[in-house]
Amino acid sequence: GHTGGVWCSQFEGNIICSGSTDRTIKVWDVHTGQSLHTLFGHSSTVRCLSMFNSIVVSGSRDATLRVWDIQTGECKHLLIGHMAAVRCVQYGWSGGSSAERMTVW
């Protein structure tokens, strides 16, 4: 599992994604409990996740968002533009931060 506390999770179908203070996202199989992938890339706590089909978007205290393919574990996009931690994300329309700013990609 994670080596730090879990701050967020998302569930869809037979997959759960969890984000942690260990700066990773784990992709879990609901039926087996096995970790399918560990997604590395953030330099600080993963604070929020939004999942749709085989894509999960993660937001972090490192002020970035990342778009991941959860089937391959590949980071498809790195989104830079916030001035502070990203505390919420909704896949498809916006990301939010503690800087009282919303960025739309």
Side-chain angles (χ1 to χ4, degrees):
H2 288 286
T3 59
V6 173
W7 272 84
C8 55
S9 62
Q10 286 282 293
F11 170 74
E12 184 172 303
N14 65 336
I15 299 293
I16 294 176
C17 291
S18 56
S20 172
T21 60
D22 66 10
R23 304 179 308 239
T24 69
I25 298 141
K26 290 276 198 179
V27 180
W28 305 92
D29 183 297
V30 172
H31 301 297
T32 66
Q34 295 296 311
S35 174
L36 303 175
H37 296 290
T38 301
L39 311 180
F40 297 93
H42 286 293
S43 62
S44 191
T45 299
V46 178
R47 294 289 307 264
C48 54
L49 298 169
S50 184
M51 193 166 134
F52 182 73
N53 292 332
S54 65
I55 299 294
V56 66
V57 180
S58 58
S60 171
R61 284 190 65 221
D62 67 11
T64 68
L65 292 109
R66 289 179 177 264
V67 180
W68 306 88
D69 181 322
I70 59 174
Q71 291 181 335
T72 66
E74 179 184 2
C75 180
K76 296 293 206 174
H77 303 284
L78 170 62
L79 306 174
I80 299 171
H82 288 285
M83 305 303 282
V86 179
R87 295 182 181 201
C88 60
V89 62
Q90 178 62 50
Y91 177 64
W93 69 275
S94 71
S97 82
S98 61
E100 299 178 5
R101 174 180 169 187
M102 179 183 292
T103 305
V104 178
W105 280 279

